[in-house]
Amino acid sequence: MLSRRLKSLKAYKTETTPAKIKLSSNELPLDLPGELKEKISQEIKKISFNRYPDPHSEELKEVLSDFLGVPERNIMLGNGSDELIYYLSVAVGELNEGVYIPIPTFPMYEISAKVFGRPAVCVPLDKTFDIDLEGSLRAVKENSVRLAYYSYPNNPTGNLFSRDKILRIREEGVFSVIDEAYYHYCGDTFLEEALHREDTVILRTLSKIGLASLRVGMLIGKEEVISELEKVRLPFNITYPSQVIARIVLTEGRYFIDSAVSKVIAEREKVYRELREMDGVEVFPSRANFILFKTPFDADRVHEELVKRGVLIRNMSYLPGLEGCLRVSVGKPEENDAFLEALKESINYLTTRSEKST
Ligand code: PMP
C-alpha cells in the first residue's frame, strides 16, 4: 500500500550516541541564562494549553521583524527550516521538474525532493568545495531544473559558494533558495535579493543560535512569494510554547545570543589553528559554527576512538567527496580543548596500531 517511492528513500540520520561532550549537531554550546529561563517559566504558566496556538504567530513575527530587519509580510515561519524546505520542494516548479543540489551538502534538500518524487539533480562540488559551474549549467539544462538549494555557508564543508555562480545558475530560470542557517557566524547574505526578486528566498533558523529545541525556522521573500507559499503551510505549525519562548529570548535575551555567537566565532578560529598544527590532519576553513577535517585514518575508526574518549562528533565520510572526513561543532572552550586532546590521543593510538601491523 505504501508508495513505491518510499523504497528508494532513506530517513534523515542524526547522531544519537550518548557522550559526555556532544559536538555533533552544530548547536549553540551554551544554554540560556537562569534569569531568562525564570522569565520563560513565568510566561509559560500563563498559557492556555487547551487552546490552539495563533495560526499566524503574529506576536512572534513582530519580534522577528525587528530581529531580522524585514517587514512581517516578508516572513513565513516553519517548524524548523526543515519544514520550510519541504514546503519549497512541493511549491516551486512542477513535481516532474528537477531540483538542483550541489553536493556534498545538507541532506534534507535531496530527501525532500525525493519525498515528492522530484528528480534530485545532484552535482558534485569542485576540489575547493565551490560550485562546478559548467557541470551545473549542463545538468540544469538537461533536467529542466526549476529549483535550487544552496547551503550558504555550506554544511558540512563550511565555505561560501561563489555568489556569481549562484546568480549565473539563477539566470537559467531557477528559483534559488539560499539557506542561511549559519548566517550569524558568517554575516554574508542574499537578503536584499530575497526582498526584491520573485525567484529568490532565504532561509534562517533559531536552531543555531541557542533555540534548537523550539523548532523555529524563517523564510524571507517577496510578499507575493510569501502569500503563495503560505497556501501549503500547515495551520498551526509553530507551537504556542515555541512562539512565547522565542519572543522572550529575542527581546530580552539578545545580549546573550550576541555574546555567545562571538565566543563561538573566537573558539572556531582557535580550533581551526590547533587542527592545522596537528600532524596528518587536513582542515578546511569555516564560516560557520563547525569545522570539517580529514585524518589519514578511516573516519569510522577516528569516530569510534573519540567516542571511547567521551567526545561525539559527526562522521561525514559517507557523503560523496568526503572520504575520511569528520565534522566537529564548535563548543565551549573546555569542550573544544577536550576534543583536541582526544583527537591527538586517537591519532597517536591509530598510528601506533598501524605501525605494529606493518
Ligand atoms: N539548513 C542547514 C544548512 C542545516 O545545517 C540545518 C541543521 N543542521 C538546517 C537547515 C535545519 O535547521 P532547523 O533546525 O531550522 O530545521
Side-chain angles (χ1 to χ4, degrees):
M1 284 302 194
L2 294 175
S3 158
R4 256 180 286 124
R5 216 166 54 236
L6 296 185
K7 286 260 183 285
S8 64
L9 288 181
K10 282 197 196 101
Y12 180 73
K13 245 180 52 199
T14 187
E15 262 297 357
T16 49
T17 316
K20 208 167 93 211
I21 297 176
K22 187 172 177 285
L23 299 174
S24 55
S25 295
N26 303 341
E27 297 144 330
L28 188 79
L30 302 160
D31 196 2
L32 298 177
E35 71 264 19
L36 220 49
K37 285 200 175 182
E38 195 49 50
K39 177 74 205 250
I40 289 167
S41 56
Q42 283 164 16
E43 294 300 316
I44 291 289
K45 279 188 207 144
K46 297 182 194 160
I47 294 179
S48 304
F49 286 96
N50 56 326
R51 302 289 177 201
Y52 280 105
D54 168 10
H56 305 295
S57 307
E58 276 177 17
E59 290 179 345
L60 172 57
K61 271 199 189 160
E62 207 179 305
V63 172
L64 279 170
S65 160
D66 180 56
F67 182 67
L68 299 165
V70 303
E72 284 144 66
R73 61 180 183 276
N74 296 107
I75 305 171
M76 173 175 172
L77 299 183
N79 195 275
S81 22
D82 286 341
E83 188 182 43
L84 295 166
I85 293 168
Y86 258 58
Y87 292 160
L88 288 160
S89 294
V90 77
V92 178
E94 303 307 322
L95 296 185
N96 60 353
E97 290 175 323
V99 180
Y100 165 74
I101 306 163
I103 54 163
T105 192
F106 182 50
M108 278 309 294
Y109 310 141
E110 189 176 340
I111 294 175
S112 71
K114 288 184 173 163
V115 163
F116 297 110
R118 297 187 74 155
V121 182
C122 298
V123 179
L125 296 171
D126 68 16
K127 282 201 186 77
T128 64
F129 295 143
D130 199 2
I131 291 166
D132 162 12
L133 188 58
E134 218 175 287
S136 297
L137 287 174
R138 202 177 325 115
V140 160
K141 284 175 191 153
E142 281 168 9
N143 297 280
S144 51
V145 164
R146 277 290 154 265
L147 168 64
Y149 285 106
Y150 304 96
S151 171
Y152 190 85
N154 188 36
N155 174 14
T157 56
N159 60 308
L160 288 178
F161 300 139
S162 298
R163 209 181 175 90
D164 294 354
K165 293 185 179 177
I166 295 176
L167 300 183
R168 175 64 192 89
I169 294 169
R170 190 177 66 187
E171 280 172 20
E172 297 300 315
V174 176
F175 186 101
S176 305
V177 179
I178 318 293
D179 182 349
E180 300 182 356
Y182 301 97
Y183 166 74
H184 287 88
Y185 302 94
C186 153
D188 274 27
T189 180
F190 278 71
L191 183 70
E192 284 306 312
E193 302 265 336
L195 289 176
H196 296 110
R197 295 184 62 105
E198 294 204 357
D199 59 2
T200 308
V201 294
I202 66 171
L203 297 177
R204 299 267 180 93
T205 178
L206 300 185
S207 297
K208 310 299 171 187
I209 52 172
L211 296 175
S213 62
L214 300 190
R215 309 302 297 129
V216 176
M218 296 86 80
L219 183 150
I220 302 171
K222 240 184 135 179
E223 191 178 355
E224 294 80 350
V225 176
I226 299 286
S227 58
E228 285 303 294
L229 290 175
E230 277 284 338
K231 295 177 184 169
V232 299
R233 187 175 63 80
L234 296 174
F236 303 104
N237 62 334
I238 312 296
T239 71
Y240 198 54
S242 288
Q243 294 184 29
V244 169
I245 297 168
R247 189 159 45 77
I248 297 170
V249 177
L250 295 179
T251 43
E252 297 179 35
R254 277 202 219 173
Y255 71 95
F256 162 75
I257 297 175
D258 292 345
S259 99
V261 166
S262 309
K263 283 181 197 154
V264 168
I265 293 174
E267 279 294 300
R268 173 183 76 198
E269 298 312 309
K270 182 192 91 182
V271 175
Y272 176 74
R273 280 195 307 272
E274 300 253 340
L275 284 172
R276 251 175 67 151
E277 278 164 23
M278 254 183 233
D279 256 357
V281 171
E282 185 182 357
V283 56
F284 303 96
S286 169
R287 301 287 306 272
N289 66 345
F290 55 81
I291 298 179
L292 186 76
F293 67 96
K294 196 174 182 169
T295 76
F297 300 101
D298 187 63
D300 288 327
R301 302 285 311 283
V302 178
H303 188 264
E304 196 181 299
E305 288 305 316
L306 286 171
V307 169
K308 278 190 207 158
R309 291 165 177 81
V311 181
L312 185 69
I313 67 169
R314 191 71 73 98
N315 182 354
M316 286 295 164
S317 61
Y318 65 94
L319 290 181
L322 296 186
E323 292 74 24
C325 287
L326 299 120
R327 187 197 69 195
V328 63
S329 308
V330 179
K332 294 183 215 167
E334 60 274 22
E335 292 174 325
N336 300 329
D337 293 344
F339 154 69
L340 290 163
E341 196 49 43
L343 182 64
K344 271 184 213 153
E345 284 178 19
S346 303
I347 290 178
N348 283 344
Y349 172 77
L350 293 169
T351 309
T352 321
R353 279 197 55 147
S354 70
E355 279 167 2
K356 273 190 195 147
S357 65
T358 50

